[in-house]
Amino acid sequence: MKEPIRVLHVLGGLSLGGAESRIMDLYRCMDREKVQFDFLVHQKAAGERIPEFYDGEVEELGGKVYFLPKFKGYNYFSYRKAVREFFAQYHNFRLVQGHMTSTAAIYLPEAGKAGIPIKAAHARSAGVDKGMKGIVTRLLRIPLLGMADYCFACSREAGKSVFGNKWENSPKALVLPNAIDAQRFIYKREVRDRIRKETGIEDCFVLGHVGRFHYAKNHEFLLDIFAAVRNGLKEKGKKAALMLLGEGPGMDTAKKKAALLGIEEDVFFMGNRREVWNYYQAMDYFVFPSRFEGLPGTVVEAQAAGLKCIISDKITPEVGFTELVAYKDIALPAEDWAKQIMNDCLYERKNMCQAVESAGFDVREQARRMESFYLSGKIG
């Protein structure tokens, strides 16, 4: 039997993040007798890597996980040396797809020198961190449009943010929406009742959010919104709860703010959950006040689950493909967000699977499209 071609995905890690989850959705649907995925991830220190959320599944699907030291700026030369040594040893890949665009201008050329035929950069975000880190990231991305064979993006905004305004007119540009397995998210009342009972929120109006605790996600404002909703419902003799799925460096700060606001007993930090689709069922309203995004797959998932969503006006309009989504200015007070949520909280949950797939967010169709690309090296 002919061996499958191998595609190397370069990421920061294999935790339960947005990019990682979307790639794994694609991986599960790929014909792995033809195309196999491997992963090159980054770790904080030298030595044996601590396994992350998706490590085990990658191995089960036939993939391999390699790692490099984390890029910190001051270690530019040692990082480049590590990249060069990696590709000198491992270069039997058909394509390298770099989702970590902050250092793609370092590792993609080294991949080319090692003889890997196709190099693709993949923009996943339409913004950068604040401060010097963000400035350095933007500088490192400048050469990408010229050096990559293909420049993919999850949305037009992400493409322009990472590759520049000329990206849209380039023949190497392609928008690849963050597709999901919509069937998994179809609303099921029995699942809703089970999760709510397990969590102790059966009689609550539940706001939900799924996302890494990171500056971009704006959790501090999310907590302000929930506090305003909670107080408004309390005046009417009703209870509210906030369900937060995800982990990350900002979690402790969020917990401290919840305590400061006096709402900690009603905020549920659920951590990472493997069957995340079940938790959307337990929610009543999805709140997503990000400072910036590429194209948040979680908002696609929320719509697939039939949830009404109120999201930041900084998020690409491509994700608001159903009437369930309302955009709101994050410069407005939290009370304005809360008022809209409470005025719009009565609705019937429906099966939105067809709407998700019709809007181009079907992972099976995208898997067929990407499989053809990986095998041919050409955008169809």
Side-chain angles (χ1 to χ4, degrees), residues 327-373:
Y327 287 83
K328 196 79 171 176
D329 188 346
I330 57 171
L332 292 172
E335 289 74 16
D336 285 19
W337 284 62
K339 183 177 180 181
Q340 182 165 334
I341 292 167
M342 289 186 290
N343 288 341
D344 197 30
C345 63
L346 298 177
Y347 64 99
E348 181 183 354
R349 298 278 284 270
K350 297 179 181 179
N351 183 337
M352 300 298 292
C353 188
Q354 184 59 53
V356 172
E357 293 175 356
S358 297
F361 294 97
D362 176 24
V363 71
R364 290 173 181 82
E365 178 58 36
Q366 190 174 109
R368 287 190 287 270
R369 184 184 187 190
M370 291 306 294
E371 182 181 302
S372 175
F373 166 72

Side-chain angles (χ1 to χ4, degrees), residues 104-126:
I106 301 174
Y107 60 75
L108 288 183
E110 295 297 337
K113 291 175 185 176
I116 297 170
I118 305 171
K119 307 174 297 298
H122 197 145
R124 293 280 183 178
S125 178

Side-chain angles (χ1 to χ4, degrees), residues 171-283:
K172 61 178 69 175
L174 181 66
V175 173
L176 294 173
N178 285 335
I180 68 166
D181 185 352
Q183 297 287 340
R184 285 180 166 177
F185 294 86
I186 295 173
Y187 178 62
K188 299 179 182 67
R189 182 57 188 258
E190 64 275 16
V191 175
R192 170 185 173 85
D193 292 343
R194 174 173 61 82
I195 297 295
R196 289 170 72 95
K197 184 176 182 180
E198 290 174 357
T199 312
I201 53 174
E202 298 104 310
D203 57 347
C204 294
F205 178 70
V206 180
L207 300 189
H209 181 275
V210 180
R212 185 169 178 261
F213 284 79
H214 179 269
Y215 170 75
K217 303 299 181 184
N218 206 6
H219 279 89
E220 59 271 32
F221 187 52
L222 173 59
L223 290 166
D224 287 333
I225 294 167
F226 171 67
V229 170
R230 176 182 176 271
N231 292 338
L233 292 179
K234 191 174 182 180
E235 293 176 358
K236 300 178 181 179
K238 299 178 181 180
K239 298 180 180 179
L242 175 61
M243 181 181 284
L244 301 174
L245 279 81
E247 296 178 357
M251 181 182 281
D252 287 343
T253 300
K255 288 181 177 180
K256 289 176 183 176
K257 172 144 191 181
L260 186 65
L261 292 171
I263 59 175
E264 67 270 30
E265 292 184 359
D266 297 317
V267 180
F268 295 82
F269 293 86
M270 308 297 292
N272 288 334
R273 300 286 170 151
R274 186 168 294 277
E275 296 182 346
V276 66
W277 46 89
N278 287 335
Y279 292 86
Y280 285 97
Q281 314 302 321
M283 300 172 188

Side-chain angles (χ1 to χ4, degrees), residues 18-314:
E20 298 91 332
S21 296
R22 300 289 77 81
I23 296 167
M24 290 303 296
D25 283 342
L26 194 67
Y27 192 13
R28 297 182 193 108
C29 295
M30 196 71 56
D31 184 344
R32 293 184 295 279
E33 292 186 359
K34 296 180 180 179
V35 180
Q36 263 292 349
F37 286 179
D38 295 316
F39 296 84
L40 179 58
V41 300
H42 294 69
Q43 63 175 25
K44 291 183 179 179
E48 188 174 348
R49 178 174 171 271
I50 299 173
E52 294 183 285
F53 190 85
Y54 284 120
D55 278 42
E57 186 177 1
V58 168
E59 186 176 344
E60 290 172 6
L61 294 173
K64 298 177 182 178
V65 181
Y66 306 97
F67 58 88
L68 289 171
K70 188 175 181 180
F71 180 72
K72 298 180 180 179
Y74 61 79
N75 66 339
Y76 174 89
F77 294 104
S78 61
Y79 177 80
R80 186 161 207 145
K81 181 174 181 288
V83 171
R84 187 180 301 119
E85 290 175 349
F86 170 80
F87 284 117
Q89 184 175 359
Y90 304 103
H91 47 260
N92 192 28
F93 304 108
R94 165 76 168 166
L95 180 145
V96 174
Q97 190 166 341
H99 307 271
M100 191 174 175
T101 55
S102 57
T103 56
I106 301 174
Y107 60 75
L108 288 183
E110 295 297 337
K113 291 175 185 176
I116 297 170
I118 305 171
K119 307 174 297 298
H122 197 145
R124 293 280 183 178
S125 178
V128 296
D129 290 335
K130 59 182 178 180
M132 183 56 65
K133 184 178 179 181
I135 294 171
V136 172
T137 296
R138 290 197 184 279
L139 289 172
L140 288 170
R141 286 172 171 175
I142 290 173
L144 282 179
L145 186 60
M147 69 171 48
D149 298 309
Y150 293 98
C151 293
F152 301 144
C154 62
S155 67
R156 292 176 61 248
E157 283 74 10
K160 288 189 289 185
S161 175
V162 172
F163 304 119
N165 291 329
K166 295 181 180 179
W167 168 79
E168 286 189 285
N169 299 321
S170 171
K172 61 178 69 175
L174 181 66
V175 173
L176 294 173
N178 285 335
I180 68 166
D181 185 352
Q183 297 287 340
R184 285 180 166 177
F185 294 86
I186 295 173
Y187 178 62
K188 299 179 182 67
R189 182 57 188 258
E190 64 275 16
V191 175
R192 170 185 173 85
D193 292 343
R194 174 173 61 82
I195 297 295
R196 289 170 72 95
K197 184 176 182 180
E198 290 174 357
T199 312
I201 53 174
E202 298 104 310
D203 57 347
C204 294
F205 178 70
V206 180
L207 300 189
H209 181 275
V210 180
R212 185 169 178 261
F213 284 79
H214 179 269
Y215 170 75
K217 303 299 181 184
N218 206 6
H219 279 89
E220 59 271 32
F221 187 52
L222 173 59
L223 290 166
D224 287 333
I225 294 167
F226 171 67
V229 170
R230 176 182 176 271
N231 292 338
L233 292 179
K234 191 174 182 180
E235 293 176 358
K236 300 178 181 179
K238 299 178 181 180
K239 298 180 180 179
L242 175 61
M243 181 181 284
L244 301 174
L245 279 81
E247 296 178 357
M251 181 182 281
D252 287 343
T253 300
K255 288 181 177 180
K256 289 176 183 176
K257 172 144 191 181
L260 186 65
L261 292 171
I263 59 175
E264 67 270 30
E265 292 184 359
D266 297 317
V267 180
F268 295 82
F269 293 86
M270 308 297 292
N272 288 334
R273 300 286 170 151
R274 186 168 294 277
E275 296 182 346
V276 66
W277 46 89
N278 287 335
Y279 292 86
Y280 285 97
Q281 314 302 321
M283 300 172 188
D284 294 304
Y285 217 108
F286 194 74
V287 188
F288 209 77
S290 293
R291 291 183 170 95
F292 58 84
E293 292 283 345
L295 190 149
T298 51
V299 178
V300 180
E301 292 173 346
Q303 290 174 87
L307 279 169
K308 281 205 170 182
C309 310
I310 185 168
I311 71 175
S312 163
D313 63 334
K314 306 301 180 185

